[in-house]
């Protein structure tokens, strides 16, 4: 089992920045693929970013590419999502997720472990 706890969400003005953190516990973190997803009420959960366990591969949704950066610190069992140039359409609950293999990194159905989410609200 893996427990994931997100933090760092909040209210920010359009154009601002936030950094989300996700701390993992329960099993070896360093070999897990990690992803960030987001969801608006009434809509399907949407892929934002993913990172291979090695950190050598990172992938982003087109909507966040160039503005968001995913990173990880395996020594701290933590994955981050640095968000810049935030837009009102980035408003959502952001979830951290983990799985064993990196394939299908953008499909939320493939992730086995989930955090409870952290709210990000971008005010125009």
């Amino acid at each position: 089992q893996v427990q994931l706890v997100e933090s760092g969400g909040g209210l920010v003005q359009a154009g601002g920045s936030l950094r989300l953190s996700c701390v993992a516990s329960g099993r070896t973190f360093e070999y897990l693929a990690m992803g960030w997803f987001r969801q608006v009420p009434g809509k399907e959960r949407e892929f934002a970013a993913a990172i291979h366990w090695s950190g050598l591969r990172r992938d982003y949704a087109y909507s966040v590419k160039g503005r968001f950066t995913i990173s990880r610190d395996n020594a701290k069992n933590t994955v981050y999502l640095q968000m810049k140039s935030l837009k009102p359409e980035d408003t959502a609950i952001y979830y951290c997720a983990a799985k064993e293999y990196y394939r299908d990194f953008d499909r939320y159905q493939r992730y086995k472990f989930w955090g409870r989410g952290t709210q990000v609200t971008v005010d125009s």
Side-chain angles (χ1 to χ4, degrees):
Q1 281 294 89
V2 177
Q3 292 78 43
L4 303 172
V5 179
E6 305 96 334
S7 62
L11 173 64
V12 64
Q13 294 293 314
S17 299
L18 280 175
R19 188 175 83 154
L20 306 183
S21 300
C22 172
V23 179
S25 62
R27 63 172 280 183
T28 304
F29 170 80
E30 65 179 311
Y31 297 115
L32 293 173
M34 301 298 297
W36 284 97
F37 290 77
R38 62 188 187 182
Q39 190 169 23
V40 174
K43 292 192 175 181
E44 192 173 27
R45 197 161 292 192
E46 174 186 58
F47 169 72
I51 186 166
H52 189 268
W53 69 265
S54 65
L56 296 179
R57 178 173 172 176
R58 311 176 196 203
D59 291 275
Y60 300 92
Y62 179 80
S63 58
V64 307
K65 203 165 188 177
R67 300 188 298 120
F68 290 12
T69 302
I70 188 170
S71 61
R72 66 190 296 158
D73 185 338
N74 288 344
K76 295 183 178 180
N77 287 359
T78 303
V79 63
Y80 305 97
L81 186 67
Q82 178 68 52
M83 306 185 294
K84 300 188 298 184
S85 302
L86 283 161
K87 305 174 182 180
E89 50 263 44
D90 293 319
T91 296
I93 299 174
Y94 283 71
Y95 297 92
C96 173
K99 67 194 200 76
E100 289 187 338
Y101 304 104
Y102 196 71
R103 62 175 180 265
D104 298 328
F105 59 84
D106 58 345
R107 297 180 63 181
Y108 71 86
Q109 301 93 334
R110 299 299 190 189
Y111 284 78
K112 186 174 182 180
F113 305 105
W114 289 88
R116 294 189 173 186
T118 184
Q119 175 71 47
V120 171
T121 303
V122 184
D123 189 356
S124 58

